[in-house]
Amino acid sequence: MQPPSEPDGERAGIGRLAATIERLRRQVQEAQQAADGRALIELARGILIERLRCGPTQAARQLAALAEEAGVSPLELAADLINQAARDRLAEVAEDVLADAVPAETRSPAVRLRAAEHGMVHAPDTQAVAVSLLEHALGPLGAAAVAVWVAGPDASLRLAGYAGFSAEEARRWHYVPPGVTTAARRALTERRTVWFDSLRQAGPPTIGHRQLSGGRVTVPAGTGGRVLGVLEIGWPDDLEPQSPQIRRQVEALAELVAHTIEAPSGEQGAAAGDGYAELVDLADGLHDPALVLTPHLDGEGHLVDFRISHANGPFLDPAGRPRGEVVGALLLETYPLLAGDGGIYEKVQHVYATGEPFRADRMALTTLVDQVPLSVVMRLSLSRQGGGVLVVWAILDETSRLARLLQHAQRLGRIGGFEEDAVLGEITWNQQLFEFYGLERSAAPIPIDRLAEHAHPDDVPEVGRFLRTLLHHRRSASVSFRLRRSDGISRHIRVVAEPVFDDHATLLAIRGVYQDISAQHWTEVALAATQDQLVQSEQQAAERNRLALQLQHAIMPPSRGPMDAFDLQIAVRYRPAEKEHLVGGDWYDAIVLPSKQILLSVGDVAGHGIEAATGMVVLRNALRGLAVTGAGPAQLMTWLNLVAHQMIDNFTATAICALYNPGTRVLRWARAGHLPPILIRDDRAAELPMIGGILLGAVSEADFEEGRIELRREDTLLMYTDGLIERTDRTLEDSQRQLLVSASRHAATLDARLDHLLAHNRSDTDDDTCLIGIGLR
């Protein structure tokens, strides 16, 4: 027999080495499991010694006898004894698993959970906790990796332990700054368990998401209402919906992790020595009113309220109570109306749990004064310091608002200042504005949206553009115009205004200044020639704008009074683009046909300029002529598509054509790439079902579907072009949903409804807008 060649010998040696390593690995695992088992058995013996008043030897014999009698192993019996003695969360979870007959692995759920608890408690650091957790509890559930994140005081996340991920991946994810969206961040900010079936498509970025892209779960780990960290578990494959028992096991393990996470230095409870004293010193050093809140827990360690532990010197109770009655009381007992969805108490809970600060320049606080609700507006700041929450609030009274108004007027360098509060609906003027308008000081201020009513008729278009920019597009704007007072005196006025938003882009107020330029106009003799030239240039520019505006009005009037046709009331609105020298291609039509049916149409030709306007006129007139044939909406769209296709190259348009039969109250309609009409019934707005129809002019031959709807009394139908809602900062679907909300608002008349829609649906694409409303009486 020939001896093996050298390569074969090397392979045989490598095989023996691999087998030896595998045998040693199994021995280590068996030794670890045996050590864990011995620890649980020793705990169970201790319980029997205490209960039976016996010695260690007798307790060991009793444990063996009971296990033999029950037909289970001593280790399983030991876990049951520990569960019965502890009656904690792990015991409840183990009982639930066994009661629901979940298939057991080689070790029972009770043994696995207790072994995991033992390994975590005796682990020297969080890294060892993660390894023990994966080995004893999560591995049998099919998990392949685990990460333990510790939450910082600024809502950041630090990777404190991991298992199943590579060291390189752990280095890349060792720190997640505040505000970065990850899987663990969602559990922290939402304060709930988040399950991801798979990370392959829509999952957020997280540790190991490229290599381990299966199912993932993140669980907040906290105690006493405070989230100390996040437990993240990863599976190699997609997750099927998990049973309630598995979900409870995962949450119980997160609770164990919370008890093993050590609070960072300086993060001990707020009532503990120097930490609390420093927080009080911080509050006392503030000029604004401040409170120090500490968590109030029930007997089971759950957060139920916050105690007002300290109030600084500037603090004044909104209800007028002495500081001694407030300090030491519970927050919700003192201010019960703080509770509720999105209320201040919920903000305090979130800040305490996550460490993420909260700021609001204007927020309503409602309290009870002699059992009567009293609302005040205040500036609010919440931040977690140590184990407490620092609350800084300042009630905004009339004096502070006027002081801030004066500062803004000085910054803008003008004379008369104003502020319109979008939250409370209040308008604040200074004395000069009452003099500009010729009003008494006791008169009600005039809202900025009524500025055109007090302008010279020739200046109304300029004022209209100013208001659209300010109120619709929500941008800073300015305008010069002639202010006509009730006593016949005119003033040359320049207005500069700006919208004010909070951090969430919510409109808080409109503020600005009026500048009276009349004195400069009449007394600056040295600049008379320059002023004349400037006036001439302005008149020429205004004349050009007026000519462009007249051209637009000749093609498409901005509005048309209500038209009554049989049992229909029809009203239309046309809003030109901001750049009025650009003639648009939006159009509308409403006529009674010889057949006594009513033709309703709206459309939008792509582009601007003379070509778009010419195409709009051709399509509108062609549709009128074709409708006389008596054909239905779908056939009319087919013919109109041929007209569009045979015009100049690259000509496209969208349109809606509808025919209403007064005898049957049936409206038939077809669309060509246009947004569907909106039906308002019982003050509930909804789009009509989408039907098929391609853009006009895109192809030479196209088929169009036809929709039918029977209108009822008091129904309202809206047809519009996308210039009403299209914005660059949101999707078209979001804008359509906002339009439906706005259209559902009750309106006394059809004209009032259209005016409301134009005012509260702000496009920022500088496009024309057509809006037609049909009301059935």
Side-chain angles (χ1 to χ4, degrees):
M1 182 176 180
Q2 295 292 333
S5 62
E6 186 171 344
D8 292 339
E10 289 181 358
R11 284 194 293 268
I14 292 174
R16 287 192 297 271
L17 179 59
T20 301
I21 293 174
E22 177 62 22
R23 177 174 55 80
L24 293 175
R25 187 183 63 83
R26 286 197 304 268
Q27 290 177 356
V28 170
Q29 290 181 343
E30 291 172 358
Q32 290 177 342
Q33 292 184 358
D36 293 335
R38 283 195 300 272
L40 296 181
I41 290 176
E42 291 300 326
L43 284 175
R45 288 177 180 175
I47 293 173
L48 290 178
I49 291 173
E50 191 273 335
R51 298 287 176 84
L52 301 179
R53 305 294 183 181
C54 62
T57 303
Q58 187 177 358
R61 293 174 180 172
Q62 185 69 18
L63 181 64
L66 291 174
E68 183 179 0
E69 183 178 347
V72 297
S73 68
L75 182 58
E76 291 175 321
L77 181 61
D80 289 339
L81 288 174
I82 296 171
N83 286 338
Q84 293 176 11
R87 305 310 304 168
D88 57 1
R89 179 73 179 275
L90 291 185
E92 295 175 1
V93 171
E95 289 179 0
D96 290 342
V97 173
L98 295 175
D100 289 285
V102 174
E105 293 82 3
T106 56
R107 307 175 76 182
S108 71
V111 174
R112 287 191 291 104
L113 291 174
R114 288 301 174 187
E117 178 186 30
H118 177 267
M120 294 167 65
V121 169
H122 291 83
D125 52 26
T126 309
Q127 174 62 30
V129 167
V131 173
S132 177
L133 195 61
L134 180 64
E135 177 183 351
H136 293 101
L138 297 176
L141 298 180
V146 63
V148 177
W149 303 91
V150 175
D154 56 351
S156 61
L157 290 171
R158 177 176 58 84
L159 184 63
Y162 66 93
F165 298 112
S166 66
E168 180 182 359
E169 188 73 1
R171 284 193 296 272
R172 292 179 60 243
W173 286 89
H174 74 281
Y175 177 74
V176 179
V180 178
T181 301
T182 64
R185 169 82 57 198
R186 284 193 55 185
L188 175 66
T189 57
E190 298 177 17
R191 292 180 289 161
R192 65 178 182 89
T193 302
V194 183
W195 290 83
F196 302 93
D197 297 337
S198 174
L199 297 182
R200 288 186 174 86
Q201 297 179 355
T206 186
I207 181 172
H209 66 282
R210 292 187 178 88
Q211 293 77 25
L212 193 66
S213 58
R216 194 70 66 99
V217 61
T218 54
V219 195
T223 57
R226 178 173 175 180
V227 181
L228 301 175
V230 176
L231 173 63
E232 182 170 354
I233 308 169
W235 278 264
D237 302 315
D238 293 354
L239 272 183
E240 298 294 333
Q242 298 296 301
S243 67
Q245 295 77 26
I246 297 298
R247 291 173 179 266
R248 285 196 292 271
Q249 286 190 62
V250 169
E251 291 173 358
L253 293 172
E255 186 174 317
L256 279 179
V257 169
H259 288 291
T260 63
I261 295 177
E262 294 183 0
S265 177
E267 289 292 309
Q268 291 81 9
D274 295 338
Y276 178 72
E278 291 175 359
L279 187 56
V280 170
D281 291 342
L282 176 61
D284 289 338
L286 298 175
H287 295 290
D288 287 332
L291 297 175
V292 175
L293 305 180
T294 53
H296 179 69
L297 310 179
D298 60 12
E300 298 180 357
H302 299 145
L303 177 68
V304 294
D305 203 344
F306 289 88
R307 188 170 300 281
I308 303 174
S309 300
H310 179 73
N312 68 353
F315 174 78
L316 293 175
D317 178 54
R321 288 167 293 200
R323 185 182 292 105
E325 293 185 11
V326 176
V327 176
L330 294 178
L331 184 63
L332 289 182
E333 291 181 359
T334 309
Y335 305 105
L337 298 183
L338 294 185
D341 294 339
I344 294 178
Y345 181 76
E346 183 177 311
K347 305 295 185 187
V348 173
Q349 278 188 312
H350 182 83
V351 170
Y352 176 71
T354 66
E356 187 175 20
F358 174 79
R359 304 285 187 275
D361 289 334
R362 302 180 71 85
M363 193 165 188
L365 168 66
T366 303
T367 186
L368 294 176
V369 179
D370 296 329
Q371 303 304 316
V372 177
L374 172 65
S375 294
V376 295
V377 178
M378 64 180 183
R379 183 174 62 251
L380 180 67
S381 171
L382 304 174
S383 60
R384 190 178 73 189
Q385 306 289 336
V389 177
L390 179 64
V391 180
V392 182
W393 68 24
I395 297 176
L396 304 178
D397 56 13
E398 184 69 13
T399 302
S400 63
R401 283 202 298 269
L402 289 175
R404 288 185 292 108
L405 174 61
L406 179 60
Q407 293 174 358
H408 296 312
Q410 292 175 343
R411 178 176 62 85
L412 295 172
R414 300 298 183 260
I415 299 175
F418 71 93
E419 182 176 275
E420 294 188 13
D421 193 319
V423 178
L424 301 179
E426 298 177 352
I427 303 177
T428 303
W429 277 12
N430 66 357
Q431 181 62 37
Q432 286 84 351
L433 285 190
F434 289 96
E435 295 177 359
F436 287 175
Y437 280 87
L439 299 175
E440 296 293 334
R441 187 66 176 84
S442 58
I446 298 172
I448 190 68
D449 58 5
R450 293 176 52 194
L451 188 63
E453 300 175 12
H454 301 270
H456 191 280
D458 291 343
D459 298 332
V460 169
E462 294 287 342
V463 174
R465 284 192 289 273
F466 163 78
L467 293 177
R468 284 197 298 273
T469 302
L470 179 66
L471 302 179
H472 297 169
H473 301 294
R474 293 187 174 183
R475 298 197 300 263
S476 299
S478 63
V479 65
S480 298
F481 69 102
R482 284 162 286 181
L483 176 68
R484 299 205 308 177
R485 299 180 2 172
S486 58
D487 56 7
I489 298 176
S490 295
R491 287 179 178 269
H492 290 263
I493 297 294
R494 176 176 173 81
V495 179
V496 179
E498 62 179 4
V500 182
F501 304 95
D502 64 9
D503 294 339
H504 304 287
T506 300
L507 181 65
L508 298 178
I510 298 291
R511 67 191 178 202
V513 293
Y514 282 62
Q515 180 188 15
D516 186 355
I517 59 175
S518 301
Q520 297 177 6
H521 181 75
W522 298 111
T523 61
E524 299 275 346
V525 179
L527 298 177
T530 305
Q531 290 285 353
D532 290 341
Q533 295 176 0
L534 177 61
V535 170
Q536 183 179 2
S537 300
E538 290 178 349
Q539 289 176 347
Q540 292 175 352
E543 185 64 24
R544 288 195 298 270
N545 290 338
R546 278 195 289 271
L547 289 176
L549 185 61
Q550 290 172 2
L551 177 59
Q552 283 185 322
H553 290 180
I555 299 173
M556 190 64 54
S559 64
R560 200 165 102 183
M563 182 182 79
D564 293 328
F566 300 100
D567 53 354
L568 283 187
Q569 184 183 27
I570 305 170
V572 295
R573 295 289 186 274
Y574 176 76
R575 183 171 66 195
E578 183 73 16
K579 298 179 181 179
E580 294 186 340
H581 62 279
L582 295 178
V583 180
D586 288 22
W587 55 273
Y588 62 84
D589 205 359
I591 60 172
V592 179
L593 300 175
S595 63
K596 305 304 180 183
Q597 295 191 90
I598 301 171
L599 172 67
L600 304 166
S601 62
V602 65
D604 184 3
V605 176
H608 290 85
I610 298 301
E611 292 80 5
T614 303
M616 173 265 289
V617 173
V618 170
L619 289 182
R620 186 175 63 165
N621 293 340
L623 184 57
R624 282 191 173 191
L626 294 171
V628 177
T629 64
Q635 183 61 56
L636 291 177
M637 282 297 187
T638 302
W639 290 337
L640 198 63
N641 178 68
L642 291 175
V643 174
H645 188 71
Q646 293 174 3
M647 293 182 63
I648 60 176
D649 295 337
N650 301 322
F651 178 84
T652 58
T654 66
I656 286 183
C657 171
L659 290 174
Y660 175 72
N661 189 331
T664 62
R665 297 182 186 168
V666 172
L667 182 127
R668 296 183 296 155
W669 66 287
R671 59 177 288 274
H674 205 87
L675 298 172
I678 293 176
L679 176 65
I680 305 174
R681 179 171 289 170
D682 299 328
D683 285 335
R684 293 184 178 179
E687 292 182 343
L688 295 185
M690 184 72 74
I691 57 177
I694 196 173
L695 287 168
L696 295 176
V699 295
S700 59
E701 297 183 3
D703 294 328
F704 298 87
E705 297 181 3
E706 185 173 301
R708 296 169 60 91
I709 183 172
E710 182 177 349
L711 299 181
R712 302 177 187 173
R713 298 290 184 188
E714 307 302 327
D715 280 356
T716 299
L717 194 71
L718 301 175
M719 298 160 56
Y720 61 97
T721 59
D722 57 7
L724 179 65
I725 61 173
E726 196 171 34
R727 292 186 61 85
T728 58
D729 59 351
R730 67 179 63 166
T731 64
L732 186 61
E733 291 76 11
D734 291 339
S735 298
Q736 288 176 280
R737 284 193 292 269
Q738 177 62 33
L739 176 61
L740 292 177
V741 173
S742 180
S744 298
R745 181 180 180 271
H746 178 74
T749 64
L750 183 59
D751 280 334
R753 186 181 296 277
L754 297 190
D755 292 337
H756 175 77
L757 290 175
L758 281 178
H760 291 81
N761 290 274
R762 299 169 299 277
S763 171
D764 63 357
T765 57
D766 197 17
D767 199 2
D768 297 352
T769 296
C770 282
L771 176 62
I772 181 169
I774 305 101
L776 181 60
R777 295 171 296 185

